[in-house]
Amino acid sequence: MEYKKRAELTSNPTAQALFALMDKKQTNLCLAADLTDWQELIELIEAVGSEICVLKTHIDVIADLPTNFADKLNELKNKYNFLIFEDRKFADIGNTVKMQYSSGIYKIAGWADITNCHVVPGPGIIEGLREIGLPKGRGLLLLAEMSSKDNLATGEYTKTAVTWAKKYDDFVIGFIGMKKLIDDPKFITLTPGVQLAAGQDNLGQQYNTPENAIKNGSDIIIVGRGIYAAANPQAEAQKYRQAAWSAL
Ligand code: 5BU
């Protein structure tokens, strides 16, 4: 189904914006910008920003984060037209994640269009995050599956995540998953563990190819080292973008 049509199926403004920008920009590539040096991170975004629909951050790994980091990320977001996804993987009770999402040093809800959470604490985690994020029009991804070897997000756990996504579909916009988990086009599936050659790293990360991820029903591929560790990240991002888009 076309992205424009999928945008009409969801009430969540972030999901609508994501479908609209994927349609306009013709890309289903998410960059995992896992650099610890702020200036290098900015240079990476400048090089790759025009190729991606989503910039995924781990804001807490940056060693020299300036106090105005959110303004700078927003400036780049507007310049290159992508959404920002803070891969925070919240995992606590509802009352605690509300504070972690809205407060502290990072104030994630203030700048991240999308964030994600584990479902291990039960639906209270979604309800807590939703209290903060929904009034701001933010979107949440549930970690229904993971890419790493021998992870426990399988079977009934994955199915329960899908059930809760349906229950909170004004705020839950989709999943981190290795494949399509539900036949409902309003939900978006983002897949990490993608490189041009299948394989693994030495800490349990498992890689599938862009073609296989999309053929398994994923919507967006998440690529980190495959792009930022390449000699020419921009050229490499173009390869991933082309591979993922043509597999649709
Ligand atoms: P890589 O360099 O392409 O392996 O980076 C993958 C990114 O996706 C990295 O930021 C991880 O934290 C993130 N990730 C993942 O690899 N696997 C998962 O199941 C989830 C997130 Br959830």
Side-chain angles (χ1 to χ4, degrees), residues 32 34 56 58 87 89 143 146-147 176 192 205 207 224-225:
D34 297 337
K56 188 176 85 61
H58 279 302
D87 189 0
K89 298 187 182 74
L143 283 128
M146 291 193 73
S147 61
I176 299 293
Q205 174 70 303
Y207 290 111
R225 284 165 284 181

Side-chain angles (χ1 to χ4, degrees), residues 191-201 205-213 221-230 236 240 243:
T191 301
V194 175
Q195 285 203 351
L196 291 173
Q200 54 190 41
D201 75 4
Q205 174 70 303
Q206 306 177 115
Y207 290 111
N208 204 345
T209 63
E211 291 80 4
N212 282 337
I221 59 163
I222 298 174
V223 183
R225 284 165 284 181
I227 291 174
Y228 70 73
E236 210 64 14
Y240 280 93

Side-chain angles (χ1 to χ4, degrees), residues 61-127:
V61 307
I62 301 164
D64 54 346
L65 194 69
T67 49
N68 68 342
F69 75 92
D71 293 339
K72 185 64 192 174
L73 289 179
N74 269 316
E75 184 189 313
L76 292 164
K77 165 185 160 173
N78 293 329
K79 180 173 175 188
Y80 294 107
N81 191 25
F82 52 69
L83 295 192
I84 302 176
F85 164 23
E86 166 58 20
D87 189 0
R88 174 61 178 75
K89 298 187 182 74
F90 293 101
D92 213 319
I93 60 167
N95 187 61
T96 300
V97 296
K98 274 177 70 177
M99 295 186 277
Q100 291 173 323
Y101 188 25
S102 62
S103 188
I105 313 172
Y106 303 117
K107 299 177 180 55
I108 294 164
W111 52 271
D113 301 286
I114 301 168
T115 191
N116 57 354
C117 74
H118 289 288
V119 291
V120 68
I125 188 170
I126 304 172
E127 290 169 6

